[in-house]
Amino acid sequence: MSLSDSDHDLVVEELGREPTRAEAALFENLWSEHCAYRSSWPLLSAFDSEGDQVVVGPGDDAGVVSIPSDGEETYITMGIESHNHPSYVDPFDGAATGVGGIVRDTLSMGAYPIALADSLYFGDFDREHSRYLFEGVVEGISHYGNCIGVPTVTGSTAFHDDYEGNPLVNVACVGLIDDPDRLVTAEAQEPGNKLLLVGNSTGRDGLGGASFASEDLAEDAETEDRPAVQVGDPYTEKLLIEANEALIDENLIESARDLGAAGLGGASSEMVAKGGLGANIELTNVHEREPNMNAMEYLLAESQERMCYEVRPENVERVKEIADRYDLGASVIGEVTDGNYVCTFEGETVVDAPAEFLGDGAPYNDLPAEEPTEQPRDLPEGVDLAEAFEAVVGSPNTASKEWVYRQYDHEVQVRTATPPGDDAAVMAVREAGTGLAFSSGADPNWTTAAPYEGARAVALENATNVAAKGATPHAAVDCLNGGNPEKPDVYGGFKGIVDGLAEMCSTLDVPVLGGNVSLYNDSVAGPIPPTPTLALVGVKDGYDAPPHSLSGEGDLLLVGARSLEGDAEARLGGSEYLAQFGGTDRFPESLDYPDAFVDTLVDVANDDATLATHDVSHGGLAVTLAEMISEEAGASVDLDAPSKGSSAALLFGEQAGRVVIETTDASAVREAFDGVAPVYDLGSADGSGTLGVALADGDLSYDAAEVAGLRDVIDRELD
């Protein structure tokens, strides 16, 4: 990738001369889609980032919100990023450095990282290459996260043919700021302050990573683009985490930015641009690990585990002392000015441009968008219900993801009250006496079938996940992944997921604090599905939450199922059932009052009579019930009810905004949801360890061991 002719002309017009080689390379990276959001920024105004709890909204390294506290005011940070292209080229290092990057985004706000979420998307599980990428990515995430002592507590894993040539690795991080005075932003404060580079030494790894992430993956990307992939060192990152804490403790940092996309040039120019300032930087002052590096390499290398700090002159030596204590490099690379962004190298000025123009001067793209068409009803015929149950429950998409999360240390820091495998993880923020429920994910089947409605369902599902644990949705960040936006059908689908996600988050009154956009996820295999990963947190008093497993002692209710009302049509659009057996259908209709449904679910989940709660989504009711039984507890379910839908649609339809509740007070649940969402009596839980389902056209019966055997497919195939 190189600076386009039109961009080159804009740069020449602004500078009044030809750009130097270093300037051209810096503009190429900072004006790339990855950094400048040129195709997506016009759409992002759809998101509502306002709210009384919002402290720092979009535009910084991470968003910041206040959370309820029984003591001093407490903040959390939320950030998310993608490392898609690097993870295709080098799955281990690509995924590992994605974790490192989002953790440093957390550090740059003055926060301590307390939880990670990974949302992963690969090609068909049956393909050897998909499994190679899957295993490498999970190993990279587990290695980095475990080494730095930050628990990976939630996430999602999906398999879909259209990720074969371009997997997605989206990683979110939550950080804790237990004193508002510790908050730091990326806005440079004052001319005369020094700029320090602290952390790992700079090498040549990751050169051009931002521009690499802004173009389609070529057939030979796994070999040709390897130099653009960063190499991580989690042990240095752990030292950087603790050093950052020490620096914040002593109030030594005026502003901060982690070195990610576009390296030193990106971090330092963005900091001063946010403050309406400039900088003088001497590149030869950078501490490096490779000899004979040139100006562009110093500027654009994306070597990991590095932070850029603005520091008052009188505090420079103390910062160096702390860095040295943690065996980290620290170099004074320049100072903040009120002029241009200027970089010199060996006595020569190699960059001299307005910082604001570097960061915000790229023009946005006005691209044509083709409206997605609604899928017609063309359902498969003659599918046996037992065959369907076994195929859907045993699909890698809906099967147990224990193989993934057992590789992560989710107990480090001793905060995880509800561990991975449930609808949402619940973290104990003891400093505030608050439980923090955390959910993250998307469903490519949904957004392939219907980008707008599928994205609305993604937002509602994540909100339902935290509400089912008794937490009120509080804030979110998103990672919006799409293919080549220059293709009208691809851009139309991308626009659909943006609008759908924004609309449902606004309906649910969940501010979106920021996020990440990753486009050009396209390869010789074609574009990826439009994929709107949402990472959402909810808050609650205390840390206790109802489990998703049955106790065997209560009645079973299904809340939110429009298809069981008798006047609504059960639909299979976007379902795993259709992914297994072929065909198409319209996407399920959503609830009329999703906000009231979520609010009511929070109250019901926290009621003493509630014994278990489980979101109904991927794989439909069949998968939800299969996940709820155990050797100690089973269920007898009756779905022989009047409906416009078939038994297959009732079992396998994937309307979001539904939950199965086990309760000892069914009448109270019906009363709570009266006028909010339909409630259907499913049957009862028992101690049989067997799931029995009565349907109009046949019965199903599976014991816990049979269900576990179906759901064990990933573990069975990989170990």
Side-chain angles (χ1 to χ4, degrees):
M1 187 175 177
S2 59
L3 201 60
S4 68
D5 290 343
S6 59
D7 287 349
H8 171 269
D9 292 345
L10 280 175
V11 171
V12 169
E13 181 181 354
E14 174 69 24
L15 300 184
R17 56 174 172 78
E18 284 290 322
T20 66
R21 187 165 170 242
E23 286 171 333
L26 189 57
F27 275 109
E28 172 197 333
N29 279 269
L30 291 178
W31 286 16
S32 67
E33 186 67 48
H34 186 73
C35 290
Y37 293 1
R38 300 178 66 163
S39 300
S40 58
W41 189 259
L43 306 178
L44 300 183
S45 61
F47 287 104
D48 184 358
S49 59
E50 301 294 324
D52 292 341
Q53 71 271 47
V54 177
V55 179
V56 177
D60 219 305
D61 278 345
V64 183
V65 290
S66 62
I67 62 172
S69 177
D70 57 12
E72 296 296 323
E73 188 171 14
T74 303
Y75 298 161
I76 62 163
T77 64
M78 296 185 69
I80 190 168
E81 76 167 33
S82 61
H83 246 219
N84 303 335
H85 284 28
S87 297
Y88 177 81
V89 173
D90 181 346
F92 179 89
D93 283 314
T97 52
V99 173
I102 197 62
V103 166
R104 291 193 305 279
D105 283 342
T106 303
L107 301 184
S108 71
M109 307 303 296
Y112 196 88
I114 62 169
L116 291 164
D118 62 340
S119 295
L120 314 175
Y121 310 85
F122 302 95
D124 195 310
F125 181 73
D126 290 337
R127 294 179 179 173
E128 183 179 354
H129 188 246
S130 297
R131 294 191 194 192
Y132 155 74
L133 293 172
F134 177 39
E135 291 181 277
V137 163
V138 171
E139 184 183 4
I141 291 171
S142 65
H143 173 70
Y144 207 99
N146 293 351
C147 287
I148 63 175
V150 181
T152 302
V153 298
T154 191
S156 62
T157 304
F159 301 93
H160 189 288
D161 281 346
D162 291 342
Y163 296 115
E164 176 60 26
N166 197 133
L168 303 183
V169 175
N170 297 171
V171 184
C173 184
V174 172
L176 176 65
I177 301 175
D178 58 10
D179 179 351
D181 290 339
R182 296 174 65 86
L183 176 65
V184 176
T185 72
E187 182 178 323
Q189 298 295 305
E190 188 176 337
N193 286 343
K194 301 299 181 181
L195 294 175
L196 272 70
L197 184 61
V198 175
N200 217 340
S201 55
T202 299
R204 292 184 170 92
D205 52 319
L207 277 169
S211 56
F212 160 59
S214 304
E215 54 191 353
D216 295 348
L217 281 171
E219 193 166 11
D220 59 357
E222 288 177 284
T223 53
E224 292 301 311
D225 291 318
R226 192 164 293 272
V229 179
Q230 310 93 331
V231 177
D233 176 2
Y235 301 104
T236 298
E237 180 102 346
K238 176 59 175 173
L239 294 171
L240 189 58
I241 291 171
E242 302 307 326
N244 191 78
E245 277 290 286
L247 294 171
I248 301 297
D249 282 343
E250 297 190 24
N251 195 29
L252 299 173
I253 305 303
E254 305 304 313
S255 66
R257 192 116 199 181
D258 91 291
L259 271 70
L264 174 61
S268 57
S269 65
E270 289 167 355
M271 278 176 63
V272 296
K274 282 181 175 296
L277 299 166
N280 285 334
I281 292 176
E282 175 50 61
L283 296 173
T284 53
N285 288 350
V286 172
H287 54 284
E288 78 279 337
R289 63 172 177 266
E290 297 185 42
N292 303 316
M293 291 180 64
N294 61 40
M296 282 197 304
E297 291 167 338
Y298 281 120
L299 267 177
L300 296 174
E302 296 182 10
S303 302
Q304 296 293 284
E305 294 85 42
R306 299 181 299 161
M307 300 285 291
C308 186
Y309 293 122
E310 178 190 9
V311 178
R312 293 186 180 277
E314 63 270 22
N315 292 329
V316 167
E317 289 308 312
R318 181 57 182 156
V319 171
K320 286 184 173 182
E321 288 173 6
I322 291 174
D324 186 62
R325 183 202 307 168
Y326 288 95
D327 201 24
L328 299 170
S331 45
V332 179
I333 57 169
E335 68 177 26
V336 179
T337 70
D338 55 9
N340 275 357
Y341 179 77
V342 178
C343 298
T344 56
F345 177 73
E346 295 181 345
E348 177 186 356
T349 298
V350 294
V351 176
D352 187 352
E356 187 176 3
F357 184 64
L358 277 165
D360 299 324
Y364 298 130
N365 297 327
D366 184 13
L367 299 174
E370 189 176 290
E371 188 78 17
T373 57
E374 184 177 70
Q375 293 190 346
R377 168 160 282 197
D378 181 17
L379 301 179
E381 297 181 358
V383 179
D384 179 75
L385 279 180
E387 177 190 4
F389 181 90
E390 292 172 16
V392 172
V393 173
S395 164
N397 273 325
T398 57
S400 169
K401 302 305 188 298
E402 185 178 356
W403 182 89
V404 177
Y405 61 74
R406 77 177 180 215
Q407 299 185 50
Y408 305 147
D409 184 353
H410 64 268
E411 295 181 335
V412 67
Q413 298 190 28
V414 202
R415 291 186 183 274
T416 313
T418 299
D422 210 315
D423 291 331
V426 178
M427 309 295 292
V429 184
R430 296 181 185 87
E431 294 82 349
T434 297
L436 197 69
F438 191 12
S439 172
S440 177
D443 189 321
N445 287 337
W446 295 357
T447 44
T448 296
Y452 176 80
E453 290 296 339
R456 292 180 77 246
V458 165
L460 180 54
E461 189 222 345
N462 278 283
T464 303
N465 282 341
V466 303
K469 302 302 107 178
T472 301
H474 194 64
V477 290
D478 59 46
C479 192
L480 305 170
N481 307 269
N484 187 332
E486 298 164 43
K487 300 176 181 178
D489 60 331
V490 171
Y491 196 60
F494 182 78
K495 184 178 186 301
I497 65 170
V498 172
D499 290 344
L501 203 66
E503 191 278 334
M504 183 56 76
C505 286
S506 179
T507 296
L508 298 174
D509 197 24
V510 176
V512 178
L513 306 178
N516 176 256
V517 175
S518 176
L519 294 176
Y520 292 95
N521 291 291
D522 217 324
S523 69
V524 291
I528 64 159
T531 310
T533 298
L534 189 72
L536 184 147
V537 298
V539 293
K540 64 178 301 177
D541 291 336
Y543 328 122
D544 292 335
H548 77 284
S549 297
L550 297 175
S551 73
E553 299 175 356
D555 295 323
L556 295 182
L557 301 175
L558 174 62
V559 180
R562 297 192 58 160
S563 58
L564 289 170
E565 292 183 275
D567 60 352
E569 183 180 62
R571 299 178 178 180
L572 281 162
S575 66
E576 186 61 27
Y577 176 86
L578 293 186
Q580 292 292 320
F581 297 103
T584 58
D585 198 2
R586 286 163 294 173
F587 195 75
E589 292 182 276
S590 185
L591 295 172
D592 291 332
Y593 310 107
D595 49 346
F597 163 77
V598 169
D599 290 343
T600 306
L601 178 56
V602 172
D603 293 336
V604 170
N606 285 318
D607 191 273
D608 290 340
T610 298
L611 304 178
T613 55
H614 197 6
D615 158 70
V616 182
S617 53
H618 316 302
L621 182 60
V623 169
T624 298
L625 293 171
E627 291 175 337
M628 295 183 79
I629 69 166
S630 65
E631 292 184 357
E632 291 76 33
S636 296
V637 172
D638 184 358
L639 285 177
D640 188 5
S643 171
K644 294 183 180 180
S646 65
S647 293
L650 295 177
L651 269 180
F652 305 114
E654 297 188 14
Q655 173 206 321
R658 294 180 296 164
V659 65
V660 172
I661 298 173
E662 181 189 13
T663 178
T664 57
D665 192 350
S667 61
V669 175
R670 293 190 189 96
E671 183 178 349
F673 282 101
D674 185 33
V676 173
V679 179
Y680 182 77
D681 184 2
L682 285 178
S684 61
D686 54 47
S688 67
T690 297
L691 173 63
V693 182
L695 294 147
D697 46 359
D699 296 344
L700 297 173
S701 180
Y702 291 87
D703 64 33
E706 291 172 312
V707 168
L710 292 172
R711 301 193 65 242
D712 200 31
V713 59
I714 294 177
D715 205 329
R716 186 170 62 246
E717 294 296 325
L718 294 183
D719 281 358

